[in-house]
């Protein structure tokens, strides 16, 4: 049979498509045409006579399923494609469960609980059992239940599992098994399944009803699975059971891109495929159509360090391309500035903003990048998450700050009057608002004199409202005297906001902790900048004014698609960009400090870095900061161990690193090298390798008036000295002078321009 579309495939792709005699594993390297192989294989099966209703194709996203089905329809016709069993695991299995629900005690119209429904039920059970919800956090309990279901552990099996019981006791949640059992019972009583049940109950259906299993084994003559490296145990077992008679199964994936273990994905499913299907054929798609040779070879040299993998040699026949640029900066503040500067340069090289992505390990890193891009007028979008200042925990802290500065701010009051929980319910809040409207005063005015306004609450509630008001009053008295950072730090501690984020070690809580600390860091930077400008006390209202400008979205039209993309590396999987910036490549950040205790976890972190690099088509930048402000202090950091995993021939290293190329991991803050680097930048113009035009240096005035300048004699910091500033990095003193009795220095900070700093506030470190 002549099938012209097969001529569109390369030799490796074609072999993978045409093999249909048994089980096959298609290892698809990054950018190698994985989706094309899946769609063409299904089209090939249909063209060679297989009925569409006998083909089961499982994906992880509805978007992937929809796009593949549209491509197949274009090749074989929509009338044929519509009968394919194609969709996500959850959508396909819910379809099966609806047909067979009565066999496992459900009706055909069972409800599917979403995450919010599940959360509500968990919270109700915890409340009914009178458990401490600071220990039995609903997010933590939900994740434990999800873990159990994805590993096919029923409530009875959970209770019999000594390892799980020990873990619960160690986590101070010994009644976790009781909650799980009640949760499942209540779901059943409500004729409901949550998302994890769609996997668990499908396994239960097949286990308890051999005739049903055989029915679907006979129905599905061929099974295809996309992104097989992301399957969990429940998914693995369902697929195995459906295919065990004929073993006509083709799975496609890349073990080098297995990065979702925190969701239950098990890389062993793809690594041990040959053990499950002993006669399986393995096909390797090794030609990368996305990236330059340099990017592909750099990624190969990185992932080669992993022991647990299916070896392959990915190659590219595109141009060689530029080496990966490694950027070394002193602070994460500087990192944001340098990245924004490079993005501006790329615009001169005919890059659109939408061609560029900034990738980071944790969501909290976005704040510095957002502010740096805003300051340079670069449009951006947050992919797969909220803007930093729109995240709940950030809005909560900002609301406290707003209320302290302006107690009449009704929206701020409503947001945090009962957060963290202090026994002031929605009914009470509504009464306060109604009372304020009745008397045409602010809600805060009502709280200041509840008797005068005849607020209809009992004595206990009135006392809670009075305690809240008194707490805010104490802060309000300090607004005009305490600096913004000290105020904000005191607010998050005294109100209980920070304590609320430290009640457990779930990923959700750790993310909230990082984000609150990132906000405090932003306020600290604001205070330091103001102090360097000659303002000894930067106040909280001043910071809020700046934040209100940063969060103004009037100029950021959603219809404008030409924006830089900011996202975590996890969110970037499956996407591609002409230029990619991978920021924060430091120890204790990437790899995550929580993933360095075992080689298995460390290898997943390396795979995550591999995914980041392989998103780039033409240019890739890697940056690391030598210090980050975290938990109220500046922490010095070392470059990520993963940078030295990349063959040096594919990297454009910082100048100071080249003499010690074999010891990248041992970089330090050797001041002599830094002096040489900056002295070199002062002696000649800074021209990037691609000769993009750069703006001339500008004199930046940080004070409003200079008064009468008198040259300083015998200054503690003479002209020509090199100094280090916490925000601006290393600079060269041009001159010093006395202005209105204060000693001021003009300092050239290279790319950051010339700053005028008052020495008594600048906290400069003189470099010997």
């Amino acid at each position: 049979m002549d099938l012209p579309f097969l001529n569109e495939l390369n030799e490796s792709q074609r072999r993978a498509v045409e093999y249909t005699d048994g089980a096959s594993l298609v290892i698809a390297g990054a950018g190698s045409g994985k989706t094309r192989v899946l769609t063409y294989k299904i089209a090939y099966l249909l063209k060679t006579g297989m009925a569409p209703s006998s083909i089961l194709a499982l994906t992880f996203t509805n978007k992937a399923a929809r796009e593949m089905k549209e491509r197949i329809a274009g090749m074989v016709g929509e009338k044929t494609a519509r009968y394919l069993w194609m969709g996500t695991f959850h959508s396909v299995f819910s379809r099966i469960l609806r047909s067979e629900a009565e066999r496992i005690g459900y009706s055909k119209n069972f409800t599917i609980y979403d995450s919010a429904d599940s959360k509500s039920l968990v919270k109700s059970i915890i409340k009914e059992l009178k458990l401490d919800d600071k220990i039995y956090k609903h997010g933590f309990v939900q994740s434990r239940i999800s873990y159990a279901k994805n590993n096919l552990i029923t409530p009875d099996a959970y209770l019999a599992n000594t390892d799980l019981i020990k873990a619960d006791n160690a986590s101070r949640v010994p009644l976790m098994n009781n909650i799980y059992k009640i949760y499942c019972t209540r779901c059943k009583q409500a004729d409901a399944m949550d998302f994890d049940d769609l996997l668990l109950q499908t396994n239960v259906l097949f286990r308890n009803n051999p005739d049903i299993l055989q029915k679907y084994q006979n129905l599905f003559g061929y099974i295809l699975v996309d992104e097989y490296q992301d399957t969990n145990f429940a998914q693995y077992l369902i697929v195995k059971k459906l295919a065990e008679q004929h073993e006509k199964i083709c799975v496609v994936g890349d073990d080098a891109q297995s990065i979702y273990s925190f969701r239950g994905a098990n890389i062993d499913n793809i690594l041990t495929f040959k053990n499950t299907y002993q006669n399986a054929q393995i096909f390797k798609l090794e030609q990368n159509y996305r990236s330059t040779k340099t990017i592909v070879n750099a990624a190969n040299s990185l992932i080669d360090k992993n022991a647990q993998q299916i070896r392959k040699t990915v190659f590219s026949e595109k141009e060689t391309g530029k080496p990966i640029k490694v950027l070394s900066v002193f602070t994460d503040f500087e990192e944001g500035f340098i990245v924004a500067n490079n993005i501006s340069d790329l615009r001169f090289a005919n890059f659109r903003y939408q061609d560029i992505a900034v990738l980071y390990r944790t969501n909290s890193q976005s704040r510095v990048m957002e502010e740096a891009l805003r300051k340079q007028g670069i449009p951006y979008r947050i992919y797969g998450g909220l803007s930093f200042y729109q995240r709940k925990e950030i809005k909560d802290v900002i609301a406290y700050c707003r209320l302290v500065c302006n107690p009449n701010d009704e929206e701020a009051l409503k947001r945090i009057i009962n957060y963290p929980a202090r026994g002031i319910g929605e009914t009470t809040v509504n009464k306060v608002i109604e009372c304020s409207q009745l008397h045409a005063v602010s809600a805060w005015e009502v709280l200041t004199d509840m008797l005068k306004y005849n607020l209809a609450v009992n004595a206990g509630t009135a006392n809670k409202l009075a305690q809240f008001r008194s707490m805010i009053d104490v802060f309000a008295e300090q607004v005009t005297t305490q600096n913004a950072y000290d105020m904000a730090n005191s607010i998050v501690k005294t109100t209980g906001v920070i304590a609320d984020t430290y009640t457990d070690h779930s990923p959700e809580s750790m993310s909230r902790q990082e984000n609150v600390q990132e906000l405090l860091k932003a306020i600290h930077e604001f205070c330091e900048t103001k102090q360097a400008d000659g303002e000894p006390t930067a106040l909280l209202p001043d910071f809020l004014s700046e934040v209100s400008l940063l969060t103004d979205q009037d100029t950021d039209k959603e219809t404008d698609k030409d924006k830089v993309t900011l996202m975590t590396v996890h969110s970037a999987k499956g996407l591609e960009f002409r230029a990619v910036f991978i920021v924060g490549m430091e120890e204790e950040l990437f790899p995550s400090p929580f993933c360095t205790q075992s080689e298995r976890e460390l290898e997943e972190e390396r795979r995550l870095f591999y995914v980041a690099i392989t998103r780039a088509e033409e240019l890739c930048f890697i940056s690391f900061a030598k210090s980050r402000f975290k938990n109220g202090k500046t922490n010095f950091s070392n470059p990520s161990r993963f940078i030295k995993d990349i063959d040096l021939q594919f990297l454009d290293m910082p100048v100071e690193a080249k003499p010690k190329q074999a010891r990248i991991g041992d970089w330090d803050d050797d001041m002599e090298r830094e002096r040489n680097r900056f002295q070199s930048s002062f002696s000649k113009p800074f021209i990037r390798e691609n000769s993009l035009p750069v703006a001339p240096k500008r004199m930046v005035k940080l004070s409003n008036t200079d008064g009468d300048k008198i040259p300083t004699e015998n200054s503690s910091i003479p002209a020509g000295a090199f100094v280090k500033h916490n925000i601006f990095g290393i600079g060269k003193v041009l001159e010093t002078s006395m202005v209105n009795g204060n000693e001021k220095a003009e300092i050239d900070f290279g790319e950051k321009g010339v700053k005028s700093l008052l020495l008594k506030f600048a906290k400069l470190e003189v470099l010997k």
Side-chain angles (χ1 to χ4, degrees):
M1 180 182 296
D2 182 28
L3 300 175
F5 64 82
L6 293 179
N7 296 327
E8 300 171 14
L9 303 172
N10 66 33
E11 185 179 347
S12 298
Q13 292 171 335
R14 181 161 183 160
R15 286 202 305 269
V17 165
E18 292 182 325
Y19 180 77
T20 59
D21 293 336
S24 63
L25 167 62
V26 180
I27 297 296
S32 63
K34 167 182 67 70
T35 303
R36 169 171 284 205
V37 167
L38 272 173
T39 54
Y40 280 49
K41 191 175 187 76
I42 293 172
Y44 179 79
L45 291 169
L46 294 171
K47 288 289 189 179
T48 53
M50 182 164 282
S53 59
S54 66
I55 297 175
L56 171 63
L58 299 168
T59 68
F60 273 86
T61 66
N62 290 311
K63 179 183 177 183
R66 184 172 58 252
E67 290 178 352
M68 285 202 303
K69 204 163 190 177
E70 288 173 356
R71 292 191 195 183
I72 294 167
M75 301 169 72
V76 301
E78 195 277 332
K79 289 185 178 180
T80 300
R82 73 169 62 175
Y83 294 106
L84 291 167
W85 279 73
M86 174 176 281
T88 64
F89 282 88
H90 293 88
S91 65
V92 169
F93 297 154
S94 65
R95 179 179 171 184
I96 292 174
L97 287 170
R98 292 226 181 263
S99 297
E100 316 294 345
E102 294 176 0
R103 298 290 289 268
I104 53 174
Y106 287 83
S107 76
K108 294 181 182 295
N109 297 318
F110 65 82
T111 298
I112 298 177
Y113 277 172
D114 63 16
S115 180
D117 297 321
S118 175
K119 171 184 173 181
S120 180
L121 178 55
V122 167
K123 290 176 73 173
S124 296
I125 294 171
I126 292 172
K127 184 176 181 180
E128 291 166 11
L129 293 177
K130 298 181 179 180
L131 299 174
D132 186 348
D133 60 6
K134 300 299 181 184
I135 297 175
Y136 288 87
K137 296 278 287 184
H138 64 80
F140 175 76
V141 172
Q142 276 183 283
S143 66
R144 288 292 260 251
I145 292 174
S146 179
Y147 170 85
K149 289 186 176 183
N150 285 327
N151 284 278
L152 305 183
I153 302 172
T154 63
D156 289 340
Y158 194 106
L159 184 61
N161 191 312
T162 56
D163 289 336
L164 289 174
I165 300 302
K166 287 179 181 178
D168 288 343
N169 289 333
S171 299
R172 299 191 303 141
V173 288
L175 296 180
M176 182 63 233
N177 59 312
N178 289 24
I179 297 173
Y180 182 26
K181 187 170 186 176
I182 294 171
Y183 176 88
C184 291
T185 299
R186 294 276 283 274
C187 282
K188 193 70 174 289
Q189 290 173 344
D191 194 24
M193 298 185 196
D194 63 21
F195 272 75
D196 295 316
D197 275 323
L198 298 178
L199 302 179
L200 173 62
Q201 295 299 337
T202 300
N203 274 287
V204 170
L205 173 68
F206 291 158
R207 181 196 65 188
N208 296 346
N209 300 276
D211 59 320
I212 299 295
L213 173 60
Q214 187 173 21
K215 170 184 172 181
Y216 287 98
Q217 287 174 336
N218 294 336
L219 173 62
F220 299 132
Y222 210 97
I223 300 171
L224 303 99
V225 184
D226 190 17
E227 303 286 8
Y228 192 68
Q229 77 280 350
D230 294 334
T231 54
N232 60 31
F233 179 67
Q235 292 161 330
Y236 157 82
L237 194 58
I238 294 172
V239 171
K240 180 176 181 292
K241 287 297 181 183
L242 289 173
E244 67 181 359
Q245 286 192 359
H246 53 67
E247 292 196 352
K248 295 292 184 69
I249 178 173
C250 173
V251 303
V252 181
D254 183 7
D255 56 294
Q257 297 186 66
S258 178
I259 59 173
Y260 294 124
S261 66
F262 66 95
R263 296 180 186 169
N266 188 349
I267 191 176
D268 292 337
N269 292 349
I270 193 168
L271 293 179
T272 62
F273 186 82
K274 281 280 288 183
N275 296 339
T276 305
Y277 305 94
Q278 295 183 3
N279 296 319
Q281 298 294 308
I282 296 181
F283 301 92
K284 297 180 181 180
L285 308 183
E286 297 176 302
Q287 182 171 356
N288 180 299
Y289 291 94
R290 174 189 302 155
S291 308
T292 65
K293 291 178 181 178
T294 295
I295 291 172
V296 169
N297 291 334
N300 285 345
S301 67
L302 167 73
I303 204 64
D304 185 61
K305 308 304 186 296
N306 272 11
Q308 296 297 312
Q309 64 171 298
I310 298 173
R311 298 284 173 181
K312 60 182 177 298
T313 303
V314 180
F315 66 94
S316 171
E317 293 186 350
K318 297 184 72 174
E319 68 276 9
T320 300
K322 293 181 178 293
I324 294 175
K325 181 77 171 178
V326 180
L327 305 171
S328 170
V329 298
F330 273 94
T331 67
D332 45 354
F333 181 92
E334 182 183 1
E335 181 179 47
F337 177 88
I338 295 297
V339 168
N341 211 32
N342 275 276
I343 290 173
S344 294
D345 289 349
L346 290 176
R347 290 283 287 176
F348 289 100
N350 297 319
F351 278 72
R352 298 170 299 175
Y353 288 127
Q354 67 193 57
D355 296 330
I356 304 168
V358 180
L359 309 182
Y360 34 77
R361 179 63 180 83
T362 66
N363 276 314
S364 63
Q365 293 171 257
S366 76
R367 198 270 306 171
V368 170
M369 292 298 152
E370 287 186 65
E371 293 188 2
L373 295 178
R374 281 194 180 102
K375 287 175 181 177
Q376 293 208 27
I378 298 173
Y380 69 89
R381 67 184 183 116
I382 303 290
Y383 184 96
L386 295 172
S387 171
F388 181 83
Y389 286 102
Q390 294 302 310
R391 292 171 184 146
K392 179 190 179 301
E393 57 272 18
I394 302 305
K395 290 176 71 71
D396 291 336
V397 176
I398 293 295
Y400 267 110
C401 293
R402 283 168 46 188
L403 191 63
V404 165
C405 294
N406 175 20
N408 292 319
D409 188 332
E410 183 175 300
E411 292 303 313
L413 175 78
K414 290 192 297 185
R415 184 176 185 90
I416 48 83
I417 192 171
N418 197 42
Y419 175 76
R422 50 178 61 91
I424 302 173
E426 184 176 350
T427 300
T428 299
V429 174
N430 290 337
K431 287 181 179 179
V432 172
I433 300 301
E434 289 171 3
C435 187
S436 71
Q437 293 174 344
L438 177 65
H439 294 280
V441 296
S442 70
W444 186 259
E445 188 69 23
V446 172
L447 295 183
T448 59
D449 198 337
M450 290 178 276
L451 289 176
K452 174 182 175 181
Y453 294 105
N454 196 27
L455 183 63
V457 295
N458 60 38
T461 300
N463 183 54
K464 293 173 185 176
L465 291 171
Q467 289 178 355
F468 173 76
R469 184 199 66 222
S470 297
M471 177 181 67
I472 299 300
D473 279 339
V474 170
F475 288 127
E477 292 172 359
Q478 303 168 4
V479 163
T480 58
T481 57
Q482 236 180 351
N483 76 53
Y485 175 74
D486 292 337
M487 279 289 299
N489 206 24
S490 179
I491 287 171
V492 298
K493 290 179 180 177
T494 305
T495 60
V497 169
I498 199 69
D500 187 67
T501 68
Y502 277 87
T503 51
D504 65 62
H505 298 291
S506 68
E508 176 187 1
S509 290
M510 286 188 288
S511 178
R512 290 168 60 211
Q513 295 164 22
E514 291 173 350
N515 290 336
V516 172
Q517 291 296 337
E518 190 70 10
L519 176 62
L520 293 176
K521 171 183 162 186
I523 301 174
H524 185 273
E525 289 175 357
F526 171 80
C527 292
E528 284 203 336
T529 301
K530 287 294 184 182
Q531 197 174 62
D533 193 21
E535 297 181 27
T537 305
L539 301 178
L540 195 56
D542 300 328
F543 175 76
L544 291 177
S545 296
E546 183 164 296
V547 167
S548 67
L549 294 174
L550 290 176
T551 56
D552 186 356
Q553 300 297 312
D554 290 344
T555 59
D556 188 16
K557 304 299 183 183
E558 290 303 315
T559 55
D560 179 12
K561 296 182 179 180
D562 190 24
K563 300 177 182 178
V564 173
T565 300
L566 305 185
M567 65 174 75
T568 63
V569 183
H570 282 103
S571 299
K573 186 171 175 289
L575 303 177
E576 55 189 51
F577 303 88
R578 285 182 65 192
V580 169
F581 292 82
I582 309 169
V583 300
M585 284 306 303
E586 301 139 32
E587 289 294 305
E588 303 299 315
L589 185 54
F590 202 163
S592 165
F594 304 106
C595 301
T596 57
Q597 301 306 308
S598 74
E599 193 61 31
R600 186 180 179 90
E601 292 174 336
L602 192 60
E603 288 200 351
E604 177 157 332
E605 287 288 292
R606 188 178 284 111
R607 292 194 296 270
L608 190 61
F609 187 29
Y610 175 86
V611 166
I613 293 174
T614 54
R615 298 312 92 198
E617 298 174 358
E618 299 176 28
L619 298 176
C620 184
F621 300 80
I622 298 170
S623 64
F624 64 88
K626 296 182 179 180
S627 66
R628 285 186 182 270
F629 187 85
K630 189 175 183 180
N631 298 325
K633 64 179 181 179
T634 298
N635 296 281
F636 292 96
S637 51
N638 294 314
S640 170
R641 69 190 73 185
F642 294 150
I643 298 178
K644 70 177 180 179
D645 285 342
I646 301 174
D647 194 317
L648 284 168
Q649 66 177 305
F650 307 121
L651 300 178
D652 179 0
M653 302 297 298
V655 173
E656 73 271 20
K658 289 185 177 178
K660 299 174 68 173
Q661 287 182 348
R663 300 178 60 200
I664 301 173
D666 298 329
W667 290 338
D668 54 29
D669 293 328
D670 188 291
M671 290 299 105
E672 184 61 32
R673 291 188 322 216
E674 296 300 340
R675 272 201 298 274
N676 292 339
R677 178 163 75 96
F678 274 79
Q679 195 161 15
S680 173
S681 70
F682 296 141
S683 63
K684 58 184 179 181
F686 178 76
I687 304 295
R688 300 191 188 284
E689 187 175 306
N690 55 7
S691 298
L692 298 177
V694 296
K697 293 180 183 176
R698 293 178 295 171
M699 295 289 288
V700 180
K701 296 293 186 183
L702 293 188
S703 56
N704 295 327
T705 175
D706 279 348
D708 296 323
K709 292 178 64 174
I710 304 173
T712 306
E713 296 181 4
N714 301 320
S715 171
S716 59
I717 306 179
F722 287 87
V723 294
K724 180 180 177 182
H725 186 271
N726 285 342
I727 294 177
F728 305 128
I730 290 178
K732 182 180 182 180
V733 178
L734 302 180
E735 66 172 350
T736 59
S737 59
M738 296 296 294
V739 179
N740 297 330
N742 293 314
E743 189 174 11
K744 176 179 284 190
E746 301 284 333
I747 306 173
D748 189 343
F749 287 100
E751 289 187 351
K752 293 189 177 178
V754 178
K755 312 288 185 183
S756 298
L757 305 179
L758 294 178
L759 297 187
K760 67 177 181 179
F761 296 124
K763 299 180 182 178
L764 297 174
E765 176 188 349
V766 181
L767 305 179
K768 303 298 184 182

